[in-house]
Structure formats: structure tokens, C-alpha cells
Amino acid sequence: MQRWAPALFIATAALAGCVPGRTAGPAPEPARIERPIPYPVAPPAGFQRAIANGTRTPTGAPGPRYWQNTADYTLRARIDPAQKRLEGSGTIVYHNRSPDALDRLHLDLTMNHHAPGVVRNEPAEITGGVELRRVVVDGRTLAAGEGYTVDGTRMVITPPAPVAPGASASIAIEWGFRIPQAGGGGRMGWSNDDFFYLAYWYPQVAVYDDVLGWHPDPFRGTAEFYSDFANYDLTVEAPQGWVVMGTGELLNAADALPGPFAERLRTAAASDSVVHVLTPADFARPMPARTDVPAWRFRSRGVRDVAFTVARNVTWDATRTPVGDRDGDGATDYTLINAIWRPLAPRWANAAAYAAHSIRYLSQYTGIPYPWPHMTAVEGEGIIGGGMEYPMMTLIGAYNTCGDSALYYVVAHELAHMWVPMIVGVDERRFGWMDEGMTTFHEARAREDYFPGSTPELEDRGAYLGFARTGGEGEIMRRSDFHYSGGAYGTASYPKPAIAFASLRGVMGQARFERGWKQFLRDWAWKKPQPWDFFNTMEAAAGEDLDWFWRTWFYETWTLDQAVRSVAVDRRGASIVIEDLGDAPMPARVTVTRENGGTETLEVPVQTWLRGARSVTITLPTTSASPITRVEIDARNEFPDIDRANNVWPRQ
């Protein structure tokens, strides 16, 4: 590929010591470059080192020496609704699968986003943050400032001895915090004294990976999360009369739920129709329980995180949905779908059905059956306006003022996150586009299936182009926390990458694109890919170098504007002048329509623009007696041209 760089100036001035009194003539004009030429993508040194070490490959697949660390969490949380407090305790057994001895252990304390003086990208309620009461590592009690330090949302522990490759460290912690009303950047909290949603509530070991080592980025409120896959045993204590649902298999439904309600839940797990497990009327009379503070126990394996809701006066709807053959025995497997919502959100009467369709469809589309025992959508008006995802759980606003379709859209979006990043464990903290852009692309596929004839890609394209016209864009590959505006972050994370994927499908063709897309999902399920793994996978599927595409759409803010400049017809044939007015090079697919209804499609290959051209003339010899009536660029509407008005020439 050609590399775009300023033209070199040729020095003609005499060097010191040349003939005195002689004046150098003017430098010649540099060769004029008509347009920027996308230069090759060079992955960062850490990624290139990973390829050299055999943990990743130039074809995009994980390497033969790929590794990732993991942990076993045993956690207990006690919720005091009246005091708006969480008291927690737990043990983390951290397993070092890396080839490196770890003399430090990094943990995320995300609730310190609400501590005074912490660096934030946006305002947050100050609750005091996390109160660490006890820290024990490998049997040794550590003190603040001696065995561990806390800086903002990051805790760094010095273990008694480095954790050797293949060894493990045990961390026991007790902590507590006041629950913010809308915490973690509006991703958890409480509402109306009868609803709590707890996320990012426990100390979690940060990622140590083969590219960066310890992931160093704190939580600032905008960019999201990057986590290891781990195993969790979770116990939640809540007062009598409150119900709990969380990440993982509910192990003691018969103990935590009174008999009739536990039976309804069992019925729903085998029902294709929605069952009311609980309604607000059920909370109007005391619910018998074994203890005043019932314990709800959940177990999950190979998940990135755990979250849970504690609520009363809610409707709990449940049903099942097919997800395909999970275990390879030839039989269809199912998962339980839950929707938990309050009377203030009447549109949520359809939420369980929306969730059932989304999980069913996306299992089929991605080729990866939904792997977990349940998917629970929770209404969180008062905490969140949009939605937020967690393994097996999502928190979504009421959507009272929108049409029913809008609630389906957000349900499909949040549930699509179960594939990216919950199965394909991308780094959301740095590359929000991998998380949100891939999910927006998957959401569009689900919407097209649920609402035949809908055009979600055109809506996403309109959102991207509308912001691009303001001139305020940021590059997709800019780190998520460092965009110059919320609009730039949102555009680069959601609609623009989704539209870039659709454009890549147009460049590669449907079959090759789908093959590469699904190969990437399969290869990186339960692993942690980087952007260049995705780029390499798609290039392998395409069978060609696509650096020009990645540079154009992911590293720059160039826009596409192809135009039909003129059409001239004489006795020898037709001359069609195609111009590329924007800086984003793409193939120009030109459809010529004749008076008799016949059409022919011609293509100006992208290489024409990559050589620096701004215009090209297509010559059609006189091979038909029927005159040309229309010339159109991108008649199939595959690419995000910023001005489609100049894409068409009609005969006057």
C-alpha cells in the first residue's frame, strides 16, 4: 500500500563552505498530492510482540501459546434498603496462567468513582466510595500503605511473595459502601425505595494479558469495562419480602421463594408462554420465609462479572426460549427468560417476549447458542434511561414515552451484548467500538427479523452522517475515554462502526463477510481479542489486504462523497465521469440504465483512488440502440455517502 506523507522538499541551497556570493534559486514546487492516501496499519508493539510469542497470529486466530488468567470468586453481599448500604465479603483465588511472575496484583474498586477527589469524565454523586475493612493475602493481613495502596478506582496489592507462573494467590476482603442513587456512570443504583440494582460492587482483579500486561486504565465514568472470565459463587442477603435475581444459576429457589412462586418459576422454565411468577399483588401480603433475611445463592462459570437486583412490588414474568443445540446431542436446548418490572413501566408487559426473540434469533445468527441458564431483563427507571449489560442480566429504562418498538430495540441491543463482550471478551475500556459497534450491528439483524421491512442500518447511517456533517467526529480507534465530546464518543462507538461493518460486507460480499464475522466470534469465544485480531480475521476471509479500509474508517474521520460529474453521449458511445469528492476511498459501483429497461453495472476499483486520482472516465462503446436514461453510483445503497444527491445522473 502507498503511504501518505507530506511531499519531500529537495534542498537546493548551498551548504556551508560553498562558493561565496552565489544565491540559491527557488526550490521547485513539490509534487501535488490530490488526496490523502491511506497508509498501512501498524499494530502497537505489544500486539506485535504477542504474535512473535505465539499467543496471537497474523491470520487473526489465537496463537498456539495463547493464555489468559482467571479467578474463583466466593462473594457475599448484604443489602440494607433503609440505609442504602451494601456490606460485602469474599475470597478471590487468582490463578496466574501467564509466563510471568507477578509481584503486584491490581484490583478494580469501581465504586471509588464516587469517592471525593477521584478523576472523572462526568459528574457523579459523592458517597465516600469503598470502605475497605480487612485485606488478607495468602494468610497475611495487609495494612493500607504497607501491603496495598488505593489510587482512585485502582487497588494495588503487594503479595507476600510473587505469584509464580502456574501458581495462585488467595485474597480475602471485607468492604462496604453507601449505594449511589445512579452509580457507575448511571449503570447501577436504587429507585423509589423498593428497587436496587447492584453492579461493580465488589473488588475485581484487573486484567493481566499478553498484550498490555496489567491493564492500567482507571474507570472514569464513560468508557466501560475489561474483565477476565472467572467462576463465581454468590450469596445475596436481602430482607424478607424482597426478591433477588442475579448472574448465575439460582441454586435455592425453593428456599428463597415461597412454594407457590417457586412452582410458577419451574412452570415458566418449561413454558413457551409468559408466566407471572410474581405480581405487585403478591407483595401486598407477607411472604413466608425461613429467616428474616433470606439468602439467595447463585453459581456461574466462565463469566466476566456478576450483578444482581433486589426488588419488591414488581412483576416478575418468565418464559423459555430455544437457543439451538448447546451440547451437541442433537436436541434443542432452552434458556429461561425473566423480565422484572414495576407498575410505572406498562410497556414492559412485552419485555419477556422481546427478550425471548432476541436470545433465540441471535443464537441462530451468531452461530453460538446462548450458553447460560437464564437471561433477565430488569426495568430500572430512575437509575438509567437507556440500558446496560451484565452476564445474564441487563438494566433498562421504562421507555414509557416511546413506542413499543423502541423498547424492543434496547432489549435486543442489551441482550446482543451477551455475545460481545460477555462471550467474546473485548476491551471496552479502550475500544468501545468493538463492544458497542458489534452489538449495534447485531441489534440491527434482530430488528430486521422482528420487524420485517424495517431499515435499522439506514437509521444508524443517518445518525453517523448527521454527526459527521458537524465536523466534530473523533476517530473510531481513539481511546473511549479521550473523545472531545459525548457526541464524538457516541458516534465513534455505536453507529459509525456498525455502518463500517455493513460497508465492509459490501466490499467483501455477503458470503465472505459472514464467514469472517462468524469465524472471529468462534475463534475468540471465551477469549480476549484486540482490534487487530478482528482486522486480520476479516482479511483472511477476504483473501486480500484491507489496510486501506481500516485506515479510512477506523483511524481517520474521512467521509465518502462520490459523484456522477457528467455523462456525454455521441456516435462513438458514452463517456461517464465519476468524481471522488471526499477523502474516503471506496469502490464506485456504477449502474447504467437504458431506455429499454436494460441495466449494466460497472465498477471503479478502489485502487483507482488509492493511486491518488480524483476522477475517472468510464467509456461505453455504442453496443445498444437504447439510450442511457440514468447513471447511479451505489444503487444498492451499501456505502455511507455523505451526499447522495450527486450520485445520480438522469437524462435531461
Side-chain angles (χ1 to χ4, degrees), residues 105 135-142 147 157-160 169-172:
L105 300 174
V135 178
V136 180
V137 178
D138 289 338
R140 180 179 298 180
T141 300
L142 305 182
I157 292 174
T158 302
S170 176
I171 307 167

Side-chain angles (χ1 to χ4, degrees), residues 224 413 417 420 426-441 475-480 483 489-498 500-501 504 517 520 529-535 538 550 553-555:
E224 293 184 336
H413 182 93
H417 277 301
V420 183
V426 299
D427 179 355
E428 308 169 77
R429 187 68 50 90
R430 294 194 170 195
F431 308 112
W433 65 269
M434 295 190 79
D435 168 42
E436 299 296 354
M438 289 181 171
T439 291
T440 299
F441 184 81
E475 306 89 343
I476 288 177
M477 284 292 286
R478 181 181 290 271
R479 287 194 195 176
S480 300
H483 282 280
Y489 163 75
T491 301
S493 300
Y494 293 80
K496 186 176 181 180
F501 300 143
L504 180 61
W517 186 267
F520 173 75
Q530 296 275 314
W532 307 277
D533 295 307
F534 173 72
F535 297 162
M538 298 310 288
W550 313 128
W553 292 108
F554 290 80
Y555 287 85

Side-chain angles (χ1 to χ4, degrees), residues 365-425:
Y365 177 77
T366 63
I368 300 176
Y370 182 81
W372 294 304
H374 74 88
M375 180 67 231
T376 299
V378 181
E379 173 267 311
E381 185 70 13
I383 298 174
I384 197 168
M388 185 62 200
E389 72 281 356
Y390 313 85
M392 305 179 225
M393 301 286 292
T394 183
L395 179 68
I396 297 173
Y399 281 78
N400 285 332
T401 60
C402 308
D404 285 340
S405 60
L407 181 57
Y408 175 84
Y409 298 167
V410 71
V411 168
H413 182 93
E414 301 310 327
L415 272 56
H417 277 301
M418 296 306 111
W419 282 267
V420 183
M422 301 308 167
I423 293 174
V424 179

Side-chain angles (χ1 to χ4, degrees), residues 561-568 575-581 588-592 604 609 614-616 618 628-635 641 643-652:
D561 186 10
Q562 297 173 342
V564 183
R565 173 69 174 177
S566 63
V567 177
S575 294
I576 302 169
V577 178
I578 303 299
E579 287 189 326
D580 200 1
L581 304 175
R589 291 167 181 165
V590 182
T591 300
V592 178
V604 179
W609 316 124
R614 278 292 188 186
S615 67
V616 65
I618 300 173
I628 294 173
T629 59
R630 181 182 176 90
V631 176
E632 182 175 6
I633 299 172
D634 190 23
D641 196 301
D643 180 11
R644 299 193 76 85
N646 60 18
N647 283 28
V648 179
W649 175 90
R651 188 179 69 175
Q652 301 299 319

Side-chain angles (χ1 to χ4, degrees), residues 239-243 256-261 278-292 294 312-313:
Q240 184 175 338
W242 294 69
V243 295
L257 275 171
F261 310 123
L278 284 164
T279 69
D282 294 316
F283 291 88
R285 48 189 178 270
M287 289 189 186
R290 293 176 183 268
T291 64
D292 181 56
R312 62 183 179 182
N313 301 323

Side-chain angles (χ1 to χ4, degrees), residues 288-584:
R290 293 176 183 268
T291 64
D292 181 56
V293 182
W296 300 66
R297 296 179 53 220
F298 302 89
R299 181 174 58 204
S300 50
R301 297 290 177 262
V303 297
R304 286 173 38 124
D305 198 1
V306 288
F308 61 91
T309 189
V310 179
R312 62 183 179 182
N313 301 323
V314 295
T315 296
W316 179 347
D317 288 340
T319 185
R320 71 171 186 173
T321 198
V323 297
D325 183 4
R326 260 195 303 236
D327 51 14
D329 65 356
T332 298
D333 294 302
Y334 293 81
T335 200
L336 176 69
I337 299 294
N338 299 305
I340 296 174
W341 51 283
R342 292 169 291 169
L344 60 82
R347 292 191 186 279
W348 272 70
N350 297 318
Y354 293 163
H357 172 269
S358 301
I359 293 294
R360 179 175 68 251
Y361 175 79
L362 290 167
S363 293
Q364 180 273 323
Y365 177 77
T366 63
I368 300 176
Y370 182 81
W372 294 304
H374 74 88
M375 180 67 231
T376 299
V378 181
E379 173 267 311
E381 185 70 13
I383 298 174
I384 197 168
M388 185 62 200
E389 72 281 356
Y390 313 85
M392 305 179 225
M393 301 286 292
T394 183
L395 179 68
I396 297 173
Y399 281 78
N400 285 332
T401 60
C402 308
D404 285 340
S405 60
L407 181 57
Y408 175 84
Y409 298 167
V410 71
V411 168
H413 182 93
E414 301 310 327
L415 272 56
H417 277 301
M418 296 306 111
W419 282 267
V420 183
M422 301 308 167
I423 293 174
V424 179
V426 299
D427 179 355
E428 308 169 77
R429 187 68 50 90
R430 294 194 170 195
F431 308 112
W433 65 269
M434 295 190 79
D435 168 42
E436 299 296 354
M438 289 181 171
T439 291
T440 299
F441 184 81
H442 282 158
E443 174 201 340
R445 307 285 77 74
R447 286 170 58 180
E448 289 166 348
D449 187 74
Y450 198 83
F451 299 102
S454 63
T455 56
E457 280 186 4
L458 294 184
E459 295 170 27
D460 291 334
R461 183 188 298 179
Y464 151 59
L465 291 175
F467 194 78
R469 293 185 184 104
T470 71
E473 262 200 278
E475 306 89 343
I476 288 177
M477 284 292 286
R478 181 181 290 271
R479 287 194 195 176
S480 300
D481 266 327
F482 298 101
H483 282 280
Y484 293 119
S485 70
Y489 163 75
T491 301
S493 300
Y494 293 80
K496 186 176 181 180
I499 291 308
F501 300 143
S503 298
L504 180 61
R505 182 184 60 203
V507 169
M508 293 175 63
Q510 179 83 22
R512 288 195 299 172
F513 174 84
E514 295 281 357
R515 183 167 63 248
W517 186 267
K518 293 177 182 179
Q519 186 70 50
F520 173 75
L521 297 179
R522 286 194 302 271
D523 282 349
W524 289 97
W526 318 115
K527 299 180 180 68
K528 298 195 283 288
Q530 296 275 314
W532 307 277
D533 295 307
F534 173 72
F535 297 162
N536 290 340
T537 299
M538 298 310 288
E539 288 192 357
E544 61 182 291
D545 182 356
L546 294 171
D547 271 14
W548 64 269
F549 187 91
W550 313 128
R551 177 65 60 186
T552 295
W553 292 108
F554 290 80
Y555 287 85
E556 305 289 348
T557 57
W558 300 335
T559 54
L560 173 67
D561 186 10
Q562 297 173 342
V564 183
R565 173 69 174 177
S566 63
V567 177
V569 180
D570 59 26
R571 61 183 178 80
R572 292 170 298 180
S575 294
I576 302 169
V577 178
I578 303 299
E579 287 189 326
D580 200 1
L581 304 175
D583 286 338

